[in-house]
Amino acid sequence: MTTSRIAGFYNLPLGERLDKLAKSTGFALDELAAFHSSGLTADQANHMVENSIGTFNLPLGLGLNFVVNGREVLIPMAIEEPSVVAGASFMAKLARTGGGFTVTTSAPEMIGQIQVLDVKDLMKASMELYEHKAELLAEVNSIDPVLKKFGGGARDLEVRIIEESPIGSFLVVHLIYDVRDAMGANAVNTACEKLALPIELITGGRVHLRILSNLADHRLVKASCTVLLKELAFTSADGRAFTGEQVRDRIIEAWAFAAADPYRAATHNKGIMNGVDAVVIATGNDWRAIEAGAHAYASRDGRYTSLSTWGKDLDGNLSGQLEMPMTVGIIGGATKVHPTAKAALRLMGVKTAAELASIIASVGLAQNLAALRALATEGIQLGHMSLHARQVAIAAGATGMQIDEVAAHMVAEKTIRIDKAEEILKEMK
Ligand code: NAD
């Protein structure tokens, strides 16, 4: 792909956007076909969940302007909330002149947990487990030749003693398992089950739970971006002029609130997840796993805090970082089954799970910046409400041309409510 900037994409009629996308990327139109249908057929869905009665669609928007580790990338985002796609794309545009997003990922190592009960001497059993570590890891590595072929496999074993719990003390064995390009839940769970018997024989205890942990703190992604001061200066829709320095400092002040206060941090991180989840869902990945991991990681020091940090660099530019677990795959789960997910991965040119994780973290950081910038300057409602007004207009029964007309009326009158939309519609009729 030559560029992720497609000028005027927003203003194109719906029916022309896929043509434009095909022309800009060189993809054939039928390769993008999964984007304008539900993608998943009822028959495919029937093979995925129990008692299937159909499918559920979400809007799919295109995140523009992203440069991730020097690569231009167009990003499909599945989300029902207005402003997210526009906000992330706009912030990606501001970040471009600072070099876009730079992202590093750790090895794709997941944690599998094995709970061991009824152990007589916890310390002695821990030591014995460490003594048998090499053979336990070898046992795991015999299970999945495919994963091994791709360079994955068991990496380490850690033993923890849980001193206090409602049932007293017990042992937990952590299997550190490199799952390469898979999300890894099935691979890890299979490995944990395989270890149950040898661990019972070594410890003399009773293995109870064998399941991966979603607090995947070995599988981290770190995204950063720099926004030049000149990109931050702007005049808000209500006519207030802000200098770059003012916007930067206000964003840092807004972030400091989230860094210090869990009530604010929850909403701050929700903004990050607006961007993250939209790409996770569009690629058929497990967003509950990502959510669970993100919020557990945000609490890792005993107090829930911001997943991102914002400050200024040596030149005074705004600098942001996002660090979080990112357990996404491009193999397994729905990623290889859902036609839209397959098309999304193809469009982004993603070849590894690490590449996908890097893109997702960049969108999370961009979306975090969009929310902070709006909150710290003109307020979230001014920009958000004009888009929200269209949804309210549809809910009130507006169709076709009426939608924009009713929405514009409500925005002009600064009253965006369903009863107002119904009143305007009535007057129009
Ligand atoms: P999977 O088992 O379908 O695929 C992984 C397997 O693919 C590997 O074990 C390997 O044999 C093979 N493979 C082929 N090429 C590979 C490559 N390049 N890299 C790595 N493996 C390769 O999928 P999974 O990722 O183990 O499981 C993901 C699914 O598990 C998701 O749908 C998730 O919703 C679900 N799940 C999640 C949880 C949880 O989060 N707590 C628990 C259970 C299941």
Side-chain angles (χ1 to χ4, degrees), residues 157-328:
L157 215 90
E158 293 164 358
V159 188
R160 297 169 54 215
I161 296 176
I162 305 282
E163 300 281 3
E164 279 177 42
S165 87
I167 55 156
S169 54
F170 55 86
L171 272 191
V172 178
V173 181
H174 277 195
L175 167 67
I176 314 299
Y177 198 26
D178 185 323
V179 295
R180 295 285 97 194
D181 294 317
M183 181 270 184
N186 290 318
V188 170
N189 294 343
T190 308
C192 289
E193 300 212 340
K194 179 91 175 174
L195 286 182
L197 184 60
I199 286 177
E200 285 187 344
L201 292 175
I202 293 166
T203 61
R206 171 172 62 93
V207 165
H208 193 40
L209 300 196
R210 296 145 292 169
I211 178 86
L212 100 159
S213 168
N214 287 108
L215 175 48
D217 58 3
H218 284 251
R219 193 178 188 178
L220 297 175
V221 61
K222 283 185 202 176
S224 61
C225 71
T226 300
V227 187
L228 307 184
L229 278 180
K230 67 177 169 81
E231 300 287 3
L232 287 171
F234 83 113
T235 301
S236 65
D238 57 358
R240 282 182 295 156
F242 294 94
T243 66
E245 283 85 354
Q246 278 174 327
V247 177
R248 176 199 65 201
D249 292 345
R250 281 164 169 253
I251 286 173
I252 296 169
E253 287 161 357
W255 158 75
F257 187 3
D261 176 30
Y263 286 91
R264 172 63 206 138
T267 317
H268 176 95
N269 289 342
K270 191 272 179 184
I272 293 172
M273 301 313 285
N274 274 343
V276 166
D277 284 342
V279 191
V280 171
I281 294 169
T283 55
N285 272 287
D286 183 341
W287 72 94
R288 290 86 54 205
I290 305 292
E291 284 280 345
H295 299 295
Y297 193 66
S299 313
R300 65 194 178 283
D301 294 326
R303 182 172 57 81
Y304 187 85
T305 187
S306 165
L307 287 165
S308 65
T309 48
W310 290 92
K312 53 182 172 182
D313 69 9
L314 293 175
D315 299 320
N317 299 311
L318 179 69
S319 151
Q321 288 84 37
L322 170 66
E323 179 179 291
M324 61 184 290
M326 192 57 72
T327 56
V328 287

Side-chain angles (χ1 to χ4, degrees), residues 36-111:
H36 65 90
S37 65
S38 73
L40 196 69
T41 64
D43 191 48
Q44 285 166 321
N46 192 34
H47 295 294
M48 292 171 77
V49 301
E50 311 74 31
N51 300 347
S52 178
I53 52 169
T55 58
F56 180 91
N57 293 343
L58 280 175
L60 191 72
L62 192 63
L64 302 173
N65 305 320
F66 277 86
V67 178
V68 178
N69 288 338
R71 194 168 75 82
E72 301 273 343
V73 57
L74 287 163
I75 307 174
M77 299 171 67
I79 186 159
E80 84 296 347
E81 190 173 337
S83 300
V84 174
V85 179
S89 300
F90 186 28
M91 294 309 114
K93 191 172 164 197
L94 298 192
R96 282 177 79 90
T97 40
F101 297 86
T102 304
V103 193
T104 57
T105 50
S106 58
E109 291 173 359
M110 300 293 284
I111 299 170

